[in-house]
Structure formats: C-alpha cells, structure tokens
Amino acid sequence: MLTNRQISIFKAIVDEFTRTAEPVGSKRLMDLLEFTCSSATIRNEMAALEDVGLLEKTHTSSGRIPSSKGYRFYVEHLMEKQLDEGVKNSLQEVFKERHYSMDEIVKKSCDILSQMTSLTSVVLGPESKYQTLQHIQLFPLTERSAVAVFITDHGHTENKTFHFNTEVSIDDIKTCCNLLNDKLSGTPINEVVERMQEIEPLLASHVARHEVLFEAFVSAFMKFATEHVYCSGKTNMLYQPEFADIEKLKELMKMLEDSSLFRQIANHEGNMAIEIGGENELIHMNDVAVVSSKFKVNDNEEGELMIVGPTRMQYSRVVALMEYMSKVLEDLYRQEEA
C-alpha cells in the first residue's frame, strides 16, 4: 500500500518524464512537489517505489523513470482524462461539412489523431465480412490500364487501378464488368474471391483475355477484403528519443507495417484498451505502448482508433482525445444511416 507522499512523488516523476524524456532525480522533485521534503527523504521514497517495481533506475543517471508496471499503475489509478473544449470544438468543425465520404472521414480521423498527439495513429475501418458487393464500375484509362470502383451495400467505395501486362479491349472490360455485376451483386465481400473462382469458366466463354482480367479482379478483391487499415504520422517517431537508435526505429517501422498485428491487438474486451510495453506478447518492444478505442459503425460492425507511441506518452490526453474522436465517428455513422 503506497502512502500519499509516495503517490505524489510517483505521479510527479511520471508527469516530468512524460514531458522531458529525462530521468528524474531528487533535486528536480524538490522543485516539482507541492509539499516540502528533504532530498534524502525523496531518495528513500524513490527507492521504496523502485522496490515495488513502479520505478526503475537507468544506467546513465541517478534519476528514476517509470517501469511498465508503473505506467500500468498510473493509467489504472492516477490518470485524469483531460480534453479542453477548444479541441472538442475543433474536431466538430472538421467534420461539420458533409462532403466527406465515410471512408474519407476514417482516414481524416487518422491524420487528425497523429497531428494532435505528435505520435503515430492507426485506424481500422469496419471489417468487410458484414458488407456485400452492390456494384462494380470500370473505367478504361488506356489499353493496358483501368480504374475499378467497388461499391458495397453500406456505401463503402474502393478505387483500384489495374495495370495489365498485355492489351485488353474496351469491349472485354465492359463484358467482364457486366458479368461480374450480374453474378456477384449481393455477395459478401469476403466471399467474392471464392465466388469468382466458380464463375471463371463463364468469363472464359465470353471474354477473350479473361485470364488477365480475372487475375486483376481477384487481386483487387483480396485487397478490398483486407485493406481497411490506415496509418498516419509514422515520421513522428523520428522525433521520439526512445527511437533514436536506428535498430529500434527499424523494428518499430516493421511493426507499423503489419496490419494483421493491429487487427489482433484490436481484439480486446471493452471499448478502451491500453497495451504497455512487454505486457502484450504481440508487442515485442518494451518501450512501445498502444492505446485503442473502439467506435460502433452499426449494430454489427465496429472500427478501431489506435495511437502508437513510446510508453511515456501523455496517456491522460491521448485517452480523452480518442474517446471523444470515437464518439464523433459514431455520431457521423448514425447520421449516415438516418
């Protein structure tokens, strides 16, 4: 059981280290604490906090930094969520204009989160397994390229540019598009590729270069069914002292490229989750934390907002910002359905 004095010292260390990324010593704490305390007493209390695993000593300084266990204690017992009204109003203003598609809103949310936190943000759009293909539009660009627009029953659209390795006629493209609309409309997105395998003989009998078009469409649908992970602000990690080491930075960038990892991290109970350092076996870096917040799209679907940063991130502000952003997104999806 911690004393009030120990809690005050611990909180001051977390707040100061979050701000400066520098280990905090007893002399600095004398200036930060709201009560008078000798340097020797502070050192004794810091040693006690280290003994219970909330603080740890670095090799380069006599000061202390919070441990992963310390950050967990902080977010569960001491964190005070705070988000000023100015930030709330700014977020409302961004989405006030209704000329954005829902897909654009999700991507914009990702950019805003990274800008407001100076960290890396990840947004997982709703999984496609609950959506069905409604319509395909195909626009030839040249004899070797075309743009396809896939539209789902939820109004989600995805554009894919095809580059063919041989010339394909406009007639073939149109015939292929008409056949796919006729045979695939109403098919769940995650079943489209399997369904296309079944209708390949039909395509072969109607389309001269069917194998080229078939391969292009299958590739596009496979991406459509999985690529709903947006990432913004990766370069923000370059300015975090924790990742000044190039090997650490490479490891982090590799992590940020793994969309399947974020899908696994998103599989948590409750609306909010905070994964700190090595607590989660999916995160192999001790000085990385991931804060996740779910947002409901409808009764069956949900998306996920995430912030990835160092374990010393400003949890109180990050959590408050993500909770509010989730609420804004849910309101926008409800307006879309109305």
Side-chain angles (χ1 to χ4, degrees), residues 273-311:
I274 301 174
E275 309 289 352
I276 299 172
E279 288 182 341
N280 190 324
E281 60 185 16
L282 295 170
I283 303 171
H284 302 297
M285 300 183 70
N286 289 329
D287 39 16
V288 171
V290 180
V291 181
S292 309
S293 178
K294 292 179 180 176
F295 59 92
K296 279 198 170 297
V297 175
N298 52 47
D299 291 339
N300 295 318
E301 294 180 285
E302 58 189 15
E304 188 101 13
L305 302 175
M306 292 183 173
I307 288 292
V308 182
T311 50

Side-chain angles (χ1 to χ4, degrees), residues 10 32-33 81 98 100 114 128 130 213 230 233 281 318 335:
F10 173 71
L32 295 172
L33 295 171
K81 291 180 285 189
R98 294 297 293 124
Y100 298 116
S114 66
S128 57
Y130 296 108
L213 288 163
Y230 310 108
E281 60 185 16
V318 168
Q335 289 173 25

Side-chain angles (χ1 to χ4, degrees), residues 142-204:
T142 68
E143 291 179 327
R144 291 200 175 200
S145 64
V147 173
V149 181
F150 307 121
I151 304 167
T152 74
D153 60 329
H154 289 181
H156 179 86
T157 61
E158 189 87 5
N159 300 332
K160 294 292 177 187
T161 301
F162 297 158
H163 296 285
F164 309 119
N165 57 13
T166 185
E167 291 184 3
V168 177
S169 73
I170 291 177
D171 285 342
D172 273 357
I173 290 176
K174 287 180 179 177
T175 302
C176 182
C177 191
N178 290 336
L179 278 170
L180 292 177
N181 274 319
D182 183 49
K183 299 299 181 183
L184 298 179
S185 182
T187 303
I189 293 298
N190 61 336
E191 295 177 15
V192 165
V193 173
E194 183 182 346
R195 183 84 179 94
M196 281 192 72
Q197 306 282 353
E198 296 172 9
I199 66 173
E200 185 179 9
L202 183 65
L203 284 174

Side-chain angles (χ1 to χ4, degrees), residues 15-150:
D15 291 342
E16 183 68 1
F17 184 65
T18 297
R19 188 180 69 83
T20 66
E22 296 288 339
V24 185
S26 56
K27 288 184 179 178
R28 178 63 185 135
L29 281 167
M30 290 178 72
D31 297 330
L32 295 172
L33 295 171
E34 295 180 353
F35 52 85
T36 304
C37 205
S38 71
S39 181
T41 300
I42 291 174
R43 283 197 298 272
N44 288 337
E45 297 289 34
M46 289 167 73
L49 289 165
E50 189 176 353
D51 287 341
V52 296
L54 298 184
L55 296 180
E56 52 191 32
K57 208 171 189 176
T58 66
H59 300 296
T60 56
S61 166
S62 60
R64 305 297 201 284
I65 65 173
S67 64
S68 291
K69 181 180 176 182
Y71 284 119
R72 173 57 58 195
F73 179 81
Y74 177 83
V75 299
E76 289 186 355
H77 302 288
L78 304 177
M79 180 176 69
E80 298 171 3
K81 291 180 285 189
Q82 50 187 334
L83 192 66
D84 61 60
E85 290 302 315
V87 172
K88 291 181 181 180
N89 292 336
S90 296
L91 288 175
Q92 291 286 357
E93 283 299 315
V94 169
F95 297 115
K96 201 171 184 180
E97 299 294 329
R98 294 297 293 124
H99 60 269
Y100 298 116
S101 69
M102 290 313 300
D103 202 42
E104 289 171 329
I105 285 171
V106 169
K107 290 178 182 177
K108 198 164 186 66
S109 301
C110 195
D111 292 337
I112 290 170
L113 281 174
S114 66
Q115 290 163 12
M116 286 191 161
T117 60
S118 297
L119 300 173
T120 300
S121 64
V122 177
V123 178
L124 309 184
E127 290 189 78
S128 57
K129 63 184 177 182
Y130 296 108
Q131 301 183 53
T132 61
L133 180 67
Q134 187 177 55
H135 191 67
I136 304 167
Q137 289 179 296
L138 200 59
F139 305 97
L141 298 176
T142 68
E143 291 179 327
R144 291 200 175 200
S145 64
V147 173
V149 181
F150 307 121

